[in-house]
Amino acid sequence: MLRKPPFGEANVSALIASVIGSIGGLFALGLVPATITRNPQFLVAAPTMNVISFLLCGAIGWIIGGQIGPRLPALVGEKHGHILGGIIGGLIPVLTIAAIGWYLATQPAP
């Protein structure tokens, strides 16, 4: 049965998404410049923005993962649904921040 969780509900998928989102968000902004230049120092080039991304991706991952996870067990089972929902919910904000980093890294200098 499809369950509609309340907004911001604490569940396993929200926890998984928060962990994936916050750890991924810590490095997401510098990942593309570090890959393009092959210089790992770009991963931590903007520490203030990385911490903001850490907090933002963790919070957004909690919300998205908490909404996706309880809806998936009807398709793939209880345990796998929450895990898959947490992974998807955590990767959405990380990939969004990485896309912003890609945009910023590929813009010509003024």
Side-chain angles (χ1 to χ4, degrees):
M1 177 176 201
L2 185 65
R3 189 171 86 82
K4 295 180 182 175
F7 187 73
E9 177 187 73
N11 54 38
V12 174
S13 58
L15 178 66
I16 293 170
S18 178
V19 169
I20 290 173
S22 58
I23 293 173
L26 190 59
F27 299 107
L29 197 57
L31 186 64
V32 175
T35 304
I36 290 173
T37 61
R38 295 186 179 143
N39 186 357
Q41 290 180 340
F42 280 107
L43 285 173
V44 292
T48 304
M49 292 302 293
N50 288 347
V51 171
I52 291 170
S53 176
F54 171 82
L55 297 171
L56 192 65
C57 287
I60 293 172
W62 177 277
I63 293 168
I64 294 173
Q67 292 297 309
I68 293 175
R71 291 181 164 98
L72 288 180
L75 300 173
V76 294
E78 185 73 26
K79 181 179 177 185
H80 297 296
H82 284 287
I83 293 172
L84 185 62
I87 292 170
I88 293 170
L91 286 178
I92 289 173
V94 171
L95 293 177
T96 304
I97 296 294
I100 292 170
W102 181 279
Y103 174 77
L104 293 174
T106 57
Q107 292 301 308

